[in-house]
Amino acid sequence: MHILVTNDDGPPSSQSSPYVHCLVKHLQAAGHIVSVCLPHTQRSWIGKAHMIGQTLKPLYYTPSANIHGQDTEGSTHHLPSTSAHADEWVLIDGTPASCVQIGLYHYFQDKGPIDLVVSGPNYGRNTTSVFALSSGTLGAALEGAVCRRKSIALSFAFFTRNHDPVIIEAACRHSVRVIEALYKQWPTDESADLYSVNVPLVEGVEEHKTLWADMLQNYWKEGSCFEEIEGNAGDPDEEEERIRAREVDNGGRAEASSERKHKHFKWAPRLTDVYKSVELSDPGNDGRIVREGNTCITPLKANFAISHADRAGKEFEFATRSESVVPPSAEAASVCHQPVQQAQKSSPVFQAIVAYEDPYVQPLIVSALNAVFPHQLVRLVTDLPSSDSTFSTSKLLSSPDSKVLQIVPYESIDFEFAAGNPSTCLINSYMIRKALIRKHYLSTTVDHWVVKNPASPLKTHVKRSESFEVDYAEFLDDALVEAFDLRESMDRNAQVDEDEPSKKEWWILKPGMSDRGQGIRLFSTMEELQDIFDGWEADRPDSDDEDEVDRTTSDAQGQGDYITTSHLRHFVAQPYIHPPLLLSDTDNRKFHIRTYVLCTGSLKVHVYRHMLALFAAKPYTAPWEAPDDIESFLTNTCLQDSPNETSVRRFWSLPLPDEQLSRIFEQICNLTGEIFEAAARAMPVHFQTLPNAFEVFGLDFMVDGSGETWLLEVNAFPDFKQTGGDLSEIVEGFWRAVMKRGVARFFGVEVEDREGAMVAVREIDLGRR
């Protein structure tokens, strides 16, 4: 995930900020993208403040190689580095909360949307209300929370001034584990906006308990937190050092003089009050848990309220949950699964039926919905009647005039209700879109459009296909009678010397209505193509029992996928793209680019900027060297055991020059807009938009060895699981953008879209209102 790190202690310093560099390194080592925006100097005890009327100015900081603060200088510059790979932090002469605002909205957009704000690790604990209410560390996390970002305030509680690097390393490792677990378990019902995490700097902290905690309510005792001085106050770093020294030795403050005179005042809190309140408190609060050497987690709302204090003292579970975790409270449960007859007294703006039937993406959609819309605006239903694949929307509404959003599988969409209620019902799919999602229709769409628009980029960035139908292998030759380009190519290949296979033009065969890589093969001659179909027919079982047919599935080598010829008789053959663009740091494995696309109404087309690169399982080989080795030329990750960091990467993190990445993205935007306009205008019978619908698509693109981008296919209801667990935040970010661009506008809800990750690439007025 993409993490914004800030703090209230400033850049690395052995005196005032000894932990931040170490945490950043450990987050990066765990595979996260980390952006850092810090105050330019120590800003402790400042809470969630902003400096009104002051112009904030940045500095650009490159940390030193030493991560434990012994080399405290690093290097600071007034202008940002021109290197695309510079490990550069931003320092702001403002408050921690201001650093969050500036980090979220004014820097780092090239790295993708920020998924999590981590404030800290604070130099000292932030347990009990006395510390928390003034903490700049918590103030920054609160700012992140009110910006609708998941936020964690992290503090390291030390018991000695001797900062052992080994203990700091262990605390950072443990903190990364806690951060990742909290992110994966983040509640979808808005019961918690942020977490305050306090990690004790003790030996063996990774083996100690991690517990949920209540926040101890404590107070200052009689007496001022300021002491009188003569002259001006000292340097802020020196004052913080002096205060933290008292945190160890529990020292007091100077006695106040009763003499009436001109006075200056210095912040000098009586920390012994805090420690005594902890000693006298009952178990289960944050102060007691940290005092006993354990890590504590306090869930908070961004209104100074403690969330789910009933869990205080219970152990935190690190295990990754397979679905979204909702804290155990009847109130929380009623928000996510509220029966229709128990509608809230204050009517919501719309009701949302979200039952995507995909355990990977369902919680991400719900989380995105909750992140964009306050819960009082939406009444959420996540369970459909289990008796039928379709349902009646009207039966789930609290009143006939209710506005409703449907996000359900295509087969379950109540199209009839949507057609009868075009101004109040929004659905998540168009009814007809074969012109794009069926390979043989897509080929026809491109042909028709290019004939009328010879300057279209589709002419030079989509391989012209040959479509044909085959019921049985023995009729293959007859099926290719009108496939003139294909037959001529195979005839030419037959004349090529067997010792020069690289001179052949290779083709890729794709079943027109298959998915998940089923039935895809390479061939260059008629004999090879005939062998493919003969092999499928030989694998067909003798029985005509439909149940037996349905039980047969295709494996990676194609055994059993005879179903391609018996049930999916439409085929497309395309010239094979060789050589593809290969990257040496990925073992020269072939990859394609998965682009998520949003279409709204009739018709606006948007491309989600944060794309994926999906890699084949094995290094690439030329087609004539291993035409049957699909693991070397198929980049569909569903053929792999599980998507991970070696099979799925962020497009913008690929080791290519920024100019090349930008050019590829520009080509993808142009091709995406063009193919949807082609479908809408050249194939209107097979692509019919609806004004009260939106739809998400997954488009696949290939980049060849010369850097040109080619459109491969268009997928409706794309398989989001191919993104994998490590990059699930991209899917959630996409759905947040869908809520803003596709849902909020339909229901007249005003929401800010500062991320700008959804790029509008085409707007077409098809006259459908």
Side-chain angles (χ1 to χ4, degrees), residues 84-294:
H85 304 291
D87 182 18
E88 197 167 61
W89 301 3
V90 178
L91 307 182
I92 301 294
D93 58 347
T95 67
S98 297
C99 289
V100 170
Q101 283 278 344
I102 292 169
L104 285 178
Y105 300 119
H106 300 282
Y107 287 101
F108 316 123
Q109 285 88 349
D110 57 316
K111 298 182 182 180
I114 289 171
D115 306 295
L116 178 69
V117 174
V118 173
S119 178
N122 188 62
Y123 185 23
R125 71 201 68 197
N126 272 309
T127 56
T128 81
S129 59
V130 164
F131 281 156
L133 288 172
S134 298
S135 168
T137 302
L138 265 77
L142 284 164
E143 190 69 33
V146 297
C147 291
R148 302 309 296 262
R149 296 300 198 286
K150 298 178 176 70
S151 300
I152 296 173
L154 176 65
S155 305
F156 284 180
F158 55 79
F159 300 88
T160 173
R161 305 292 289 177
N162 180 22
H163 297 298
D164 186 341
V166 175
I167 293 179
I168 294 174
E169 292 278 354
C172 288
R173 284 195 303 269
H174 183 57
S175 297
V176 171
R177 187 177 174 221
V178 171
I179 289 168
E180 291 177 334
L182 284 174
Y183 184 84
K184 291 178 181 177
Q185 299 183 23
W186 209 278
T188 60
D189 63 347
E190 296 190 333
S191 59
D193 293 328
L194 69 153
Y195 292 94
S196 176
V197 177
N198 281 269
V199 179
L201 291 184
V202 295
E203 189 173 352
V205 65
E206 293 173 284
E207 285 72 47
H208 290 203
K209 291 181 179 179
T210 299
L211 303 171
W212 292 108
D214 191 359
M215 183 180 290
L216 176 62
Q217 177 66 67
N218 58 353
Y219 305 88
W220 295 119
K221 292 190 176 181
E222 290 298 323
S224 174
C225 286
F226 287 86
E227 70 177 51
E228 300 170 15
I229 62 168
E230 293 183 4
N232 295 324
D235 178 81
D237 285 344
E238 294 177 0
E239 295 306 311
E240 178 66 11
E241 176 76 6
R242 186 178 61 81
I243 291 171
R244 289 307 180 191
R246 292 183 178 186
E247 187 169 334
V248 175
D249 60 25
N250 293 345
R253 59 181 174 84
E255 293 297 325
S257 170
S258 60
E259 181 181 353
R260 188 182 182 106
K261 60 183 179 180
H262 180 65
K263 305 170 186 177
H264 290 183
F265 302 93
K266 179 188 296 184
W267 177 244
R270 190 191 296 270
L271 301 180
T272 52
D273 292 350
V274 178
Y275 301 122
K276 286 182 180 179
S277 68
V278 172
E279 291 174 4
L280 297 174
S281 67
D282 295 327
N285 67 72
D286 53 358
R288 282 286 293 272
I289 289 172
V290 170
R291 181 173 176 268
E292 293 165 1
N294 297 315

Side-chain angles (χ1 to χ4, degrees), residues 24 33 69 78 170 186 265 290 317 320 330 372 385 391 423 437 446 473 508 514 540 552 555 634-635 641 677 698 719:
V24 168
I33 297 173
H78 290 282
W186 209 278
F265 302 93
V290 170
E317 297 180 8
T320 302
V372 173
F391 69 98
S423 62
I437 66 175
V446 172
I508 185 166
S514 69
R540 182 184 302 176
T552 306
D555 61 22
L634 267 191
T635 52
D641 291 337
E677 182 169 4
D719 183 7

Side-chain angles (χ1 to χ4, degrees), residues 455-520:
S456 169
L458 298 181
K459 183 175 183 179
T460 52
H461 292 270
V462 180
K463 291 290 185 181
R464 189 181 183 281
S465 302
E466 295 281 14
S467 302
F468 55 94
E469 298 181 14
V470 178
D471 289 309
Y472 297 96
E474 61 183 298
F475 302 133
L476 175 61
D477 192 65
D478 294 335
L480 299 179
V481 168
E482 296 185 3
F484 303 110
D485 291 346
L486 174 59
R487 294 191 71 99
E488 288 181 2
S489 174
M490 290 191 294
D491 289 342
R492 289 194 300 270
N493 288 340
Q495 306 302 315
V496 174
D497 194 311
E498 291 297 326
D499 295 333
E500 298 180 298
S502 62
K503 293 186 176 181
K504 291 183 179 180
E505 180 181 20
W506 283 78
W507 292 73
I508 185 166
L509 176 70
K510 303 176 182 179
M513 295 191 294
S514 69
D515 56 13
R516 304 180 66 82
Q518 180 186 11
I520 293 181

Side-chain angles (χ1 to χ4, degrees), residues 223-398:
S224 174
C225 286
F226 287 86
E227 70 177 51
E228 300 170 15
I229 62 168
E230 293 183 4
N232 295 324
D235 178 81
D237 285 344
E238 294 177 0
E239 295 306 311
E240 178 66 11
E241 176 76 6
R242 186 178 61 81
I243 291 171
R244 289 307 180 191
R246 292 183 178 186
E247 187 169 334
V248 175
D249 60 25
N250 293 345
R253 59 181 174 84
E255 293 297 325
S257 170
S258 60
E259 181 181 353
R260 188 182 182 106
K261 60 183 179 180
H262 180 65
K263 305 170 186 177
H264 290 183
F265 302 93
K266 179 188 296 184
W267 177 244
R270 190 191 296 270
L271 301 180
T272 52
D273 292 350
V274 178
Y275 301 122
K276 286 182 180 179
S277 68
V278 172
E279 291 174 4
L280 297 174
S281 67
D282 295 327
N285 67 72
D286 53 358
R288 282 286 293 272
I289 289 172
V290 170
R291 181 173 176 268
E292 293 165 1
N294 297 315
T295 297
C296 71
I297 303 173
T298 304
L300 301 170
K301 290 290 291 178
N303 56 11
F304 298 103
I306 300 170
S307 169
H308 298 295
D310 55 302
R311 290 186 294 186
K314 297 179 181 178
E315 191 147 6
F316 174 69
E317 297 180 8
F318 282 94
T320 302
R321 312 222 178 152
S322 59
E323 58 184 6
S324 173
V325 176
V326 180
S329 113
E331 181 182 1
S334 69
V335 174
C336 282
H337 299 84
Q338 182 182 15
V340 173
Q341 50 268 50
Q342 294 180 0
Q344 298 175 355
K345 293 181 180 179
S346 58
S347 299
V349 172
F350 65 94
Q351 297 180 215
I353 303 168
V354 181
Y356 205 75
E357 293 185 1
D358 182 336
Y360 176 90
V361 76
Q362 168 75 10
L364 300 180
I365 298 175
V366 172
S367 177
L369 182 77
N370 288 330
V372 173
F373 301 103
H375 69 276
Q376 66 268 21
L377 294 184
V378 183
R379 188 159 165 274
L380 180 61
V381 176
T382 59
D383 294 316
L384 297 181
S386 57
S387 57
D388 302 309
S389 60
T390 59
F391 69 98
S392 173
T393 302
S394 58
K395 293 181 180 179
L396 295 178
L397 299 183
S398 54

Side-chain angles (χ1 to χ4, degrees), residues 157 174 217 269 327 370 424 477 508 549 582 584 637 674 678 743 746:
H174 183 57
Q217 177 66 67
N370 288 330
T424 58
D477 192 65
I508 185 166
V549 168
L582 302 175
S584 59
T637 58
E674 191 78 0
V743 177
F746 180 85

